[in-house]
Amino acid sequence: MAKRSNDTHAPVEHEHEHEHHAEPGFWQKYVFSTDHKVIGLQYGITALCFLLLGFILVALMRWQLAYPGQPIPLLGDLLGNVLGDRAISNGTLTAEGYNMFGAMHGTIMVFLAIVPLAFAAFGNYVVPLQIGAPDMAFPRINMASYQFFVLGGVVMLTSFVVPGGSAQAGWTSYSPLATTIPTSGQTFWLIGMVLLITSSLLGAVNFIATIIQLRAPGMTWMRLPFFVWAQFVTAFLLLLAFPPLEAAGVLQLMDQVAGTSFFLPTGLATSGAEEISGGGSPLLWQHLFWFLAHPEVYVLILPAMGIVAEIIANNTRKPLWGYKSLVYSVLMIGFLSFIVWAHHMYLTGMGTKISTFFQTTTIIISIPSVIILTCMFVSLWGGRIRFNTPMLFVLAFLPMFGIGGLTGLPLGFSYSDIHLHDTYYVIAHFHYIVAPGTIFALFAGIYYWFPKVTGRMMNEFWGKLHFWLSLIFMNIVFQPMFAQGMAGMHRRMYDGAATYAGAASPGDGAVVGLPDVFIDMNIGISQAAWALGIAQIPFIINFFYSIRKGAPVTSDNPWDATTLEWQTPTPPPHGNFVKPMKIHRGPYEYSLPGGEEDFLPQNQTAKTV
Amino acid sequence: MEIPHTVKPRPDTGLYNSKIGIWLFLASEVMLFGALFSTYILLRVGAPEGTWPKPGTMLNIPIGTINTCVLIMSSVTVVLAWASLKLNQFKRFKLFQAGTILLALTFLVIKSFEYNDKFTHYEVIKKDGTVINGHLVSQDSKHVVLEGAILPVKGEHKLGDHPNQQPAHQHDHEHDHEGGGDKAGQNAQGGESTHGETGQQAHGSESGHAESGGGHHQEFEIARSEIKDMDNYGPWFNTYLAIYFTLTGLHALHVFGGAVVIGYLWGPGSKMWHTEPERFTNRIEISGLFWHFVDLVWIFLFPVLYLL
Amino acid sequence: MSESNDTHEIQKEIRTYLLVFGALLVGTVLTVMASLIDVGAAWNMTIGLVIACTKGFLVAGYFMHLMSEKTTIYAILAFTVFFFLGMMLLTVAADSDVPAV
Ligand code: HEM
Ligand SMILES: [Cu+2]
């Protein structure tokens, strides 16, 4: 490691082409930066914007579900002008418009909001700091990764205004449906996906190389903070699961633009489209898609678990209970998540043998998930819990993730999935994991690391308000969906299943359709969803207000934390650490008896009395 | 602080950063091509009987063999170039790597001739049901001239006005059953279409005959007014050609990308040898690993697409 | 390791590369010849793939130095191979385990 002179402004010159020694200009510093912290923030801000956009789309859809056929108040006409008649006519969301919004909601949320936020933003900012590295292993590739991400996002957004509108076949883009919808939006979707996948691959390579190569001396594998482990496994999932989807994307793109029939079966009747050569396999798309998309759902949750673990240890002032079990479980999940994918395809007519295999692996994978959750719950036991905003979000994460995970089990068995597949039950299942689960963990992470990034604390009162409102409305939104789903409401009905509305059968008075009570739930759900949106306003205000006016931190380590990111100046300078780090202990040395402080940072040799 | 291990290996892993980086990247490439090979298998196994071309008939085997040797040779020059650097022989490195670049270009040129050959190969279905298969000699607004053969036709042709209703121009399947894969339970759509409504096209099953030389080639002048349908051997022709073009196209992109990187490190990038020889040698090793991988993919593509 | 020792090693390796080169060319010719002899589709397929795998092994093992790589790389590749096989075999298995209609 290079010796540093004490004067930070005159570091020893090396032939490092892209390290700027002079004060970099605005563009170098904020736009084309290779500093992992800046890139992390770029990812974070962009992804938060996409999160908002994804939410706005679904808020509009919820209007249509609650009040089918009625014009969207206030925004309807305006949107109609922008998006055209096809999507919104006379201020009302059309069926096609509904499909566009639905497909883009899913795509944006998964690929442009949650993954970039959980993996790229938090990972980029925190991982190098936590392992005591000066930056990522490949800073320029890191920058390229962000640029591909932005490019992919722009292509996705452009698709809203191309002729025919954006993609309409759901975030899963099942073929042949996706290929037969006459819109060039699907082509944009595919190109966008290829760009986003490229971005993720570059990121994944970088993360893994960084974690393997750049751990500071003494930072052994079993001394890594759990967050780093989670990101490490996540990176592997992205690295190995995304390429098949990239391949599938290229194949569907060929179907779309080169007239091939990879996913189009012989005899497919397409409306007015050109003749096709046929011979393709629709199921092949589903295999390739879910081969990515199941690992992808763990990409959504593992970084969140990492954040939760950090905050629990810090705020219970106790070592995590079962650190090793946590690590082995997360490795186990990573491993197994590659061989469960066809549980999304039970209803495609697969045979019993293969279905049994996938049911078995699906149920086995819930074991490590349960171990992780258990460890986290047990970690709370006997702790002196500090109920600050990050901790509240984390405490809510645990049961919410629990609900999401447990409701996955009935989906994992093919015989119960026959009833539940493609209903609102599935929607509720994964939203419980991603929304009050992952998103809460992400909020917790923002509140927790905010002081390190800005040097100021976020306001606790507004934070707590944000938390309680979010928690309440999240549950009002998603809990009824379980009921709707079990009653049989399909997940992609444009009119909120009004067509299925149950009339009493004339003879015996038995309800033959969907009972009204389930359809009426749509109204309550929608209102709660909008309220949930309003509940984010305290957060947005708090966020921007605190950047400039929040209470300044009194030390570099305001939470009295042990991990390395808190042992740096605030905010950390380019190169992160003032002096090379040497690590002497595990990540969670809290509750030490005696002495003034109850914790020992990882880089400290002995307890300072 | 500087990023450690950019040049010197980290003691406990024994690797410098970009070595891990390239292997991770190659791991993802394995999955990428793996998915495409899986696609190949599924399409082939699931192909309706008689629609998958008979092995070894679609492409020109001698040309493929030559191209395989070209790529293998380039792999050798790459590894020798790296070894030359290790031996401190910069001139020899330049020489070998120049060879690599030339071989890469040779590969691409040969490949583009192969592509061109396919794009100018037509199957014309006349309104009377005759199918003529051959190379385009010339065409104008009135006529199309093909050099090839009339394909034997079996079955009747229903000419509907519905756009999806294709004539089921079944070819004679006498001796190409092994091409169709021997899977018993075909997909639901499988089986031979005996009813025109399914619009099955038995494109290309036999058409490779024109390629295998010999036989009775002759020129056909076909009036445009007689033509019902005319298609060249692009990726849209059948699933075999679709996967052929996708796989080789993606592979060719890799060849091109690799050649650009190697070319850069041969030209302007080679200045680094004089300032940071070790780092430069590492770069050559990294680019070499990528190149060998591209070669490796071709080693599987060649038999799978050309021979089997 | 001393300089001359290193040089010596490399020269030995170069001989290996040339041997591998020869083997690859022979393999290429063999695979073409084997494909021209009709021993039944299944056998032709098997022979072709076995030769391809052998060639692949030579390239990966010697040109890419996998015969003497570091544990970390082996670990990464082991995972990759596992998932690669999982993807391929399970997809094919799922595709062929279709209940009769
Ligand atoms: C803990 C054990 C889990 C089990 C047993 C499980 C099981 C399942 C099953 C079988 C389905 C398919 C349902 C259907 O389409 O009929 C499903 C859907 C889904 N799961 Fe889970 N899951 C689990 C955890 C998770 C986690 C951690 C996430 C992370 C975000 C997640 C996200 C999803 C998503 C997004 C879908 C819906 C995909 C779609 O069709 O659009 N699940 N789950
Ligand atoms: Cu899944």
Side-chain angles (χ1 to χ4, degrees):
Chain A
M1 211 162 284
K3 290 191 205 69
R4 295 190 110 254
S5 56
N6 280 339
D7 180 1
T8 38
H9 282 283
V12 201
E13 279 294 313
H14 285 270
E15 291 89 349
H16 246 253
E17 300 143 300
H18 271 247
E19 226 130 285
H20 301 277
H21 301 294
E23 247 333 89
F26 172 82
W27 289 92
Q28 293 291 339
K29 202 165 168 190
Y30 297 111
V31 183
F32 297 106
S33 173
T34 53
D35 184 327
H36 72 100
K37 297 181 293 298
V38 179
I39 294 173
L41 295 177
Q42 288 173 331
Y43 260 119
I45 307 279
T46 322
L48 280 171
C49 295
F50 276 116
L51 192 65
L52 185 64
L53 177 66
F55 179 81
I56 291 173
L57 290 178
V58 86
L60 295 167
M61 291 164 70
R62 283 305 323 179
W63 175 268
Q64 167 64 22
L65 291 176
Y67 310 108
Q70 294 181 31
I72 302 168
L74 307 174
L75 294 173
D77 291 326
L78 178 72
L79 281 172
N81 289 338
V82 180
L83 299 177
D85 260 3
R86 211 187 169 88
I88 296 184
S89 89
N90 299 327
T92 311
L93 199 58
T94 64
E96 275 169 319
Y98 182 86
N99 287 343
M100 288 178 206
F101 282 20
M104 295 309 280
H105 163 73
T107 308
I108 289 176
M109 284 305 201
V110 173
F111 298 108
L112 285 159
I114 306 289
V115 174
L117 199 54
F119 176 69
F122 278 103
N124 251 314
Y125 200 95
V126 178
V127 165
L129 288 170
Q130 281 195 336
I131 62 174
D135 204 317
M136 296 289 261
F138 312 113
R140 269 178 293 165
I141 290 184
N142 207 11
M143 175 176 76
S145 159
Y146 176 68
Q147 288 164 350
F148 272 111
F149 166 67
V150 171
L151 211 59
V154 169
V155 171
M156 285 288 180
L157 290 182
T158 315
S159 76
F160 273 113
V161 290
V162 299
S166 73
Q168 292 155 43
W171 78 289
T172 51
S173 268
Y174 276 7
S175 212
L177 177 64
T179 313
T180 45
I181 294 173
T183 171
S184 47
Q186 186 65 26
T187 311
F188 277 73
W189 189 90
L190 291 164
I191 294 172
M193 283 306 294
V194 170
L195 291 169
L196 292 176
I197 293 171
T198 309
S199 155
S200 288
L201 288 177
L202 295 177
V205 168
N206 220 336
F207 272 71
I208 300 173
T210 304
I211 295 173
I212 293 179
Q213 290 287 95
L214 301 194
R215 282 167 293 123
M219 182 60 92
T220 57
W221 287 100
M222 281 302 160
R223 283 179 180 171
L224 286 178
F226 183 66
F227 179 77
V228 177
W229 270 112
Q231 294 284 3
F232 187 63
V233 174
T234 306
F236 261 107
L237 297 186
L238 289 174
L239 183 79
L240 298 178
F242 249 141
L245 185 66
E246 187 153 33
V250 169
L251 296 179
Q252 203 184 77
L253 199 60
M254 293 286 285
D255 279 2
Q256 195 85 18
V257 299
T260 58
S261 295
F262 286 113
F263 305 124
L264 308 178
T266 304
L268 178 75
T270 62
S271 55
E274 273 198 41
E275 53 164 282
I276 55 155
S277 62
S281 160
L283 279 187
L284 176 61
W285 169 265
Q286 297 196 20
H287 279 300
L288 295 179
F289 181 85
W290 288 115
F291 183 84
L292 156 88
H294 186 84
E296 177 80 8
V297 306
Y298 283 95
V299 170
L300 299 176
I301 195 69
L302 293 184
M305 288 174 166
I307 295 174
V308 167
E310 296 303 302
I311 295 177
I312 286 186
N314 179 255
N315 285 310
T316 56
R317 315 302 299 160
K318 271 178 43 181
L320 276 183
W321 191 83
Y323 171 80
K324 280 200 175 156
S325 333
L326 283 170
V327 170
Y328 292 131
S329 299
V330 83
L331 289 172
M332 191 74 178
I333 286 187
F335 196 67
L336 285 171
S337 67
F338 280 94
I339 48 172
V340 301
W341 80 83
H343 64 211
H344 296 270
M345 300 167 60
Y346 289 142
L347 266 70
T348 56
M350 64 166 59
T352 46
K353 284 200 242 19
I354 204 78
S355 157
T356 306
F357 174 85
F358 281 109
Q359 290 179 62
T360 314
T361 51
T362 300
I363 300 310
I364 292 176
I365 201 177
S366 54
I367 296 173
S369 312
V370 169
I371 294 179
I372 290 181
L373 201 57
T374 310
C375 286
M376 289 176 171
F377 268 119
V378 177
S379 295
L380 301 176
W381 188 262
R384 283 175 287 134
I385 300 179
R386 300 191 303 210
F387 290 97
N388 46 32
T389 310
M391 190 60 180
L392 286 179
F393 274 105
V394 161
L395 288 174
F397 168 93
L398 298 177
M400 295 295 113
F401 174 72
I403 293 176
L406 288 177
T407 52
L409 295 178
L411 297 173
F413 293 105
S414 63
Y415 52 79
S416 38
D417 188 51
I418 289 175
H419 181 64
L420 297 170
H421 179 67
D422 262 351
T423 66
Y424 264 90
Y425 182 94
V426 177
I427 303 284
H429 152 67
F430 70 79
H431 278 91
Y432 254 98
I433 294 172
V434 182
T438 302
I439 293 184
F440 273 19
L442 296 176
F443 278 136
I446 293 175
Y447 284 103
Y448 181 68
W449 278 300
F450 191 88
K452 178 53 40 180
V453 179
T454 62
R456 292 170 189 276
M457 308 291 284
M458 284 179 83
N459 182 295
E460 277 290 305
F461 171 77
W462 292 107
K464 284 180 177 152
L465 185 72
H466 172 219
F467 165 72
W468 285 110
L469 292 178
S470 298
L471 180 66
I472 291 167
F473 290 124
M474 280 284 185
N475 281 284
I476 304 181
V477 170
F478 293 117
Q479 196 60 246
M481 290 187 187
F482 284 123
Q484 289 184 319
M486 285 189 278
M489 186 187 284
H490 189 271
R491 67 189 272 194
R492 283 184 176 143
M493 302 269 279
Y494 153 65
D495 58 359
T499 22
Y500 276 6
S505 117
D508 51 6
V511 175
V512 287
L514 203 56
D516 280 341
V517 39
F518 295 108
I519 293 170
D520 294 341
M521 280 179 185
N522 278 334
I523 297 175
I525 292 177
S526 292
Q527 288 169 348
W530 302 321
L532 180 62
I534 292 169
Q536 306 313 304
I537 291 174
F539 169 74
I540 297 173
I541 293 176
N542 192 353
F543 186 85
F544 286 108
Y545 179 84
S546 304
I547 289 181
R548 302 194 160 268
K549 300 259 172 66
V553 289
T554 47
S555 82
D556 285 334
N557 188 0
W559 307 112
D560 288 340
T562 50
T563 42
L564 292 185
E565 77 270 32
W566 302 103
Q567 323 305 327
T568 62
T570 309
H574 193 82
N576 291 348
F577 296 95
V578 184
K579 55 182 195 303
M581 284 281 134
K582 190 147 178 22
I583 282 63
H584 299 284
R585 59 197 69 254
Y588 305 114
E589 303 232 339
Y590 291 107
S591 314
L592 300 174
E596 279 167 39
E597 283 163 338
D598 65 342
F599 69 102
L600 251 186
Q602 287 190 272
N603 60 338
Q604 215 136 96
T605 36
K607 198 159 161 58
T608 43
V609 185
Chain B
M1 292 204 308
E2 267 191 61
I3 298 169
H5 315 304
T6 41
V7 182
K8 291 279 179 207
R10 181 184 162 106
D12 58 354
T13 57
L15 297 162
Y16 54 91
N17 295 344
S18 37
K19 183 92 169 256
I20 286 216
I22 190 72
W23 274 111
L24 289 168
F25 177 69
L26 292 183
S28 82
E29 293 275 80
V30 168
M31 296 306 284
L32 179 78
F33 281 100
L36 292 171
F37 276 112
S38 306
T39 303
Y40 173 89
I41 297 174
L42 248 64
L43 289 178
R44 182 166 180 170
V45 170
E49 210 164 314
T51 57
W52 197 266
K54 193 164 143 57
T57 56
M58 282 304 270
L59 303 167
N60 188 317
I61 294 179
I63 289 192
T65 313
I66 290 173
N67 235 359
T68 308
C69 294
V70 167
L71 218 49
I72 290 177
M73 204 128 62
S74 74
S75 237
V76 177
T77 54
V78 161
V79 78
L80 291 179
W82 170 78
S84 309
L85 284 184
K86 280 278 185 194
L87 294 173
N88 241 327
Q89 295 167 323
F90 186 64
K91 287 236 171 62
R92 255 182 52 165
F93 155 79
K94 280 274 207 180
L95 202 66
F96 279 127
Q97 214 62 329
T100 310
I101 298 162
L102 285 180
L103 287 167
L105 294 180
T106 313
F107 178 87
L108 288 176
V109 168
I110 294 182
K111 198 77 223 146
S112 57
F113 275 110
E114 280 189 275
Y115 274 11
N116 184 53
D117 191 60
K118 285 279 151 290
F119 281 119
T120 53
H121 190 133
Y122 280 83
E123 182 173 271
V124 171
I125 303 163
K126 296 201 336 191
K127 287 190 174 148
D128 63 8
T130 341
V131 181
I132 300 166
N133 189 304
H135 265 99
L136 188 68
V137 180
S138 65
Q139 62 174 331
D140 55 34
S141 55
K142 292 227 171 62
H143 290 92
V144 175
V145 183
L146 290 187
E147 186 190 321
I150 298 191
L151 291 187
V153 175
K154 186 173 78 180
E156 55 174 47
H157 308 282
K158 283 192 191 165
L159 297 172
D161 37 35
H162 189 278
N164 299 310
Q165 228 166 1
Q166 306 290 318
H169 47 86
Q170 303 293 332
H171 303 164
D172 193 345
H173 294 309
E174 271 167 9
H175 51 269
D176 61 10
H177 280 298
E178 67 264 48
D182 42 21
K183 184 173 156 247
Q186 298 269 358
N187 277 354
Q189 3 98 359
E192 211 148 301
S193 152
T194 41
H195 29 274
E197 309 86 80
T198 59
Q200 169 173 355
Q201 280 176 290
H203 264 146
S205 51
E206 198 91 348
S207 11
H209 276 322
E211 201 79 64
S212 40
H216 35 280
H217 274 200
Q218 59 186 103
E219 270 193 21
F220 295 90
E221 192 183 83
I222 313 158
R224 287 222 183 247
S225 55
E226 288 176 29
I227 295 179
K228 157 105 199 344
D229 192 15
M230 174 169 160
D231 243 346
N232 59 352
Y233 275 20
W236 44 80
F237 193 80
N238 59 22
T239 41
Y240 168 80
L241 282 167
I243 192 77
Y244 162 74
F245 275 106
T246 311
L247 271 170
T248 54
L250 216 55
H251 178 263
L253 271 182
H254 279 77
V255 172
F256 181 75
V260 168
V261 171
I262 291 177
Y264 170 78
L265 290 177
W266 180 78
S270 67
K271 282 202 226 66
M272 187 188 264
W273 170 254
H274 306 292
T275 53
E276 291 176 278
E278 189 172 354
R279 188 150 176 231
F280 183 68
T281 312
N282 287 349
R283 287 194 167 181
I284 295 302
E285 185 179 6
I286 299 300
S287 57
L289 282 172
F290 178 76
W291 193 258
H292 298 312
F293 177 79
V294 174
D295 183 23
L296 193 85
V297 170
W298 184 260
I299 283 178
F300 284 92
L301 283 183
F302 172 60
V304 163
L305 293 172
Y306 286 72
L307 305 176
L308 300 178
Chain C
M1 230 186 286
S2 73
E3 261 313 303
S4 63
N5 211 339
D6 225 22
T7 312
H8 193 67
E9 288 277 295
I10 298 283
Q11 265 151 0
K12 241 171 48 194
E13 274 182 42
I14 290 179
R15 273 193 295 278
T16 320
Y17 299 147
L18 295 176
L19 280 179
V20 171
F21 178 42
L24 289 173
L25 291 184
V26 172
T28 308
V29 174
L30 272 185
T31 193
V32 174
M33 290 196 329
S35 79
L36 298 178
I37 308 165
D38 190 356
V39 285
W43 277 108
N44 274 348
M45 203 82 80
T46 315
I47 295 171
L49 289 180
V50 166
I51 298 178
C53 288
T54 317
K55 287 166 71 186
F57 171 78
L58 289 175
V59 171
Y62 294 96
F63 288 174
M64 302 171 87
H65 302 129
L66 272 190
M67 295 298 282
S68 52
E69 226 355 308
K70 303 288 182 295
T71 336
T72 312
I73 306 274
Y74 286 144
I76 293 171
L77 291 181
F79 277 111
T80 313
V81 167
F82 177 81
F83 296 135
F84 173 85
L85 290 178
M87 169 174 64
M88 202 171 249
L89 298 180
L90 285 174
T91 313
V92 173
D95 199 54
S96 50
D97 183 19
V98 178
V101 190

